Amino acid sequence: MSDQSGAPAGAGALPPGNSFVAGEAAENFVQIVDVVKKFGETVAVKGVNLNVEKGELFALLGSSGCGKSTLLRMLAGLETVTSGRILIDGEDLAQMPPYRRPVNMMFQSYALFPHMTVESNIAFGLKQEGVPKAELRDRVQTVLELVQMGRFAKRKPHQLSGGQQQRVALARSLVKRPKLLLLDEPMSALDKQIRQRTQIELVNILDTVGVTCIMVTHDQEEAMTMAGRLAVMSEGEIVQLGTPHEVYEYPNSRFSAEFIGSTNLFDGNVVEDEPDHVFIETPDLPCRMYVNHGITGPLGMPVTISVRPERIALTRKPPEGAYNWGRGVITNIAYMGGYSLYHVKLDGGKTVIANVSSLAISEIETPTWGDEIYVRWSASAGVVLTS
Ligand SMILES: Nc1ncnc2c1ncn2[C@@H]1O[C@H](COP(=O)(O)OP(=O)(O)OP(=O)(O)O)[C@@H](O)[C@H]1O
Ligand SMILES: [Mg+2]
């Protein structure tokens, strides 16, 4: 059906999500080759291959226990690999003594020294390296300004908000001028509002510095907002790799489709397969589904169609087309401000969720609980999943 990026065949000029083959391009700053990590019986990382380019902000995304932190810790040299290789700037990490590794990791809890001022916290690593005093002062000053914490230089961590502590931790990582910055759940201590603001600030800071960055998160919105590319991980493996747009619009599996955003999944069988479209029959709908991209597989093959809630429209009148619609009753409405989530229980018993903008709602006579309604979507809305 598709390559690992999940982009369907015939999707046109999409940049390939997984064209980075180990050892291929000189620009691959980080190369992770067949990396496996076992802890006794547990295989935390199962043969991961991944390349990250210089200057990229890359996110590892996945649910708890899928091996994100383990992979990051191996990149930091805090865990050894069971097998496989990690190259940074062409050099094997295993051959590099710790002090020469151009890597800095910011941990899930920032681990600032509570008795030291902001300034001393940031200067700590440089002092240990024996950086001369004048240079040390300059470098600390520069990163303090970068993270806009100059005014707080003399404060102790407990006198700062969560977001401010996070910026100090970031400054402490950046002051060492790592070539590779590793962030493990950098926002986990922040509440939602500061989180969103901090995400954008952080991207701007990393852009300014130009450092290559790999971050771990289990928050898909965070990964989508911040990263240029991301990898969805499950049980120690990379399930999908691509830009946020590619992974969201062309998930390559049920796991990816459900993990990134929410979606409606219809199970069915292929009844007609043309080069640029397929017809699928599903017990959930009174009509066939028409999806305008090709698949590879025999007729009758069981598939799942993913249709995102924002691709589903509600209408009062029966849709005119012969495909991609259903009839049902509104069983729930979640008002979200700018949009509402409508739960529509179809005649066949399946509930679909439609995300309808407030503007679109005002254009159909505002639907309410118990109303009979039609759902429909276009041929480009569905994505065929075979796994
Ligand atoms: N030092 C260790 N000894 C034994 N098992 C470990 C060790 N570190 C991690 N594991 C196991 O490896 C697996 C992956 O753990 P890891 O910390 O990488 O997950 P994660 O994706 O970062 O999860 P979370 O989102 O909860 O932080 C888990 O099953 C975990 O229990
Ligand atoms: Mg973790």
Side-chain angles (χ1 to χ4, degrees), residues 79-289:
E79 292 294 351
T80 55
V81 301
T82 305
S83 64
R85 290 196 311 156
I86 295 175
L87 305 174
I88 295 180
D89 213 3
E91 257 194 278
D92 197 320
L93 197 62
Q95 316 295 327
M96 269 186 254
Y99 66 89
R100 270 213 318 112
R101 290 182 187 147
V103 184
N104 196 291
M105 177 146 166
M106 193 177 113
F107 292 93
Q108 216 155 335
S109 58
Y110 314 132
L112 297 173
F113 299 115
H115 58 283
M116 286 188 198
T117 62
V118 164
E119 213 168 41
S120 321
N121 260 288
I122 298 173
F124 183 80
L126 297 183
K127 249 187 203 154
Q128 287 215 312
E129 277 175 22
V131 171
K133 252 203 177 124
E135 184 192 333
L136 183 143
R137 215 177 322 113
D138 278 356
R139 282 170 66 173
V140 170
Q141 197 53 39
T142 306
V143 292
L144 268 174
E145 273 160 33
L146 187 68
V147 301
Q148 297 176 356
M149 287 295 292
R151 290 188 291 140
F152 302 102
K154 303 288 181 213
R155 291 216 193 157
K156 303 255 174 79
H158 73 272
Q159 297 167 315
L160 302 173
S161 74
Q164 291 163 344
Q165 290 181 31
Q166 195 265 356
R167 283 186 273 162
V168 175
L170 181 66
R172 193 176 56 175
S173 297
L174 291 175
V175 80
K176 298 189 80 174
R177 296 182 184 155
K179 288 189 185 162
L180 175 61
L181 179 66
L182 305 172
L183 306 175
D184 195 354
E185 302 274 0
M187 315 283 174
S188 57
L190 307 181
D191 61 38
K192 194 164 177 171
Q193 273 199 345
I194 313 179
R195 227 178 145 117
Q196 286 174 340
R197 185 152 35 92
T198 311
Q199 285 164 3
I200 296 169
E201 277 173 15
L202 186 55
V203 172
N204 290 340
I205 292 170
L206 296 175
D207 256 6
T208 310
V209 181
V211 64
T212 308
C213 177
I214 301 179
M215 64 177 277
V216 158
T217 175
H218 58 259
D219 178 340
Q220 51 104 5
E221 278 181 26
E222 186 164 296
M224 305 261 297
T225 312
M226 295 182 63
R229 283 194 310 146
L230 55 87
V232 180
M233 282 185 78
S234 170
E235 296 180 12
E237 289 176 298
I238 291 181
V239 180
Q240 189 168 4
L241 183 66
T243 63
H245 180 263
E246 283 165 355
V247 176
Y248 185 82
E249 296 295 341
Y250 306 106
N252 66 356
S253 57
R254 290 180 74 116
F255 183 86
S256 238
E258 289 187 287
F259 195 79
I260 307 274
S262 62
T263 195
N264 297 290
L265 297 175
F266 300 90
D267 290 324
N269 297 86
V270 178
V271 289
E272 212 181 308
D273 184 10
E274 301 293 333
D276 62 348
H277 66 269
V278 278
F279 288 106
I280 288 129
E281 264 174 16
T282 165
D284 298 328
L285 301 176
C287 59
R288 287 179 166 187
M289 290 184 90

Side-chain angles (χ1 to χ4, degrees), residues 37-40 42-45 62-71 73 79 108 184-185 216-218 233:
K37 179 65 186 181
K38 293 183 186 165
F39 295 107
T42 312
V43 190
V45 174
S63 45
S64 186
C66 73
K68 308 178 294 290
S69 293
T70 303
L71 191 54
R73 290 173 58 82
E79 292 294 351
Q108 216 155 335
D184 195 354
E185 302 274 0
V216 158
T217 175
H218 58 259
M233 282 185 78

Side-chain angles (χ1 to χ4, degrees), residues 303-360:
V303 291
T304 303
I305 317 302
S306 160
V307 184
R308 297 285 186 194
E310 67 275 14
R311 299 285 199 146
I312 296 187
L314 302 182
T315 63
R316 295 265 180 198
K317 279 192 269 174
E320 282 170 8
Y323 313 108
N324 300 344
W325 64 272
R327 196 187 67 158
V329 171
I330 296 172
T331 54
N332 199 359
I333 304 171
Y335 176 67
M336 310 296 283
Y339 64 94
S340 295
L341 297 175
Y342 284 82
H343 294 234
V344 178
K345 187 166 187 205
L346 301 180
D347 292 345
K350 185 182 182 64
T351 296
V352 297
I353 298 177
N355 173 330
V356 188
S357 77
S358 299
L359 181 62

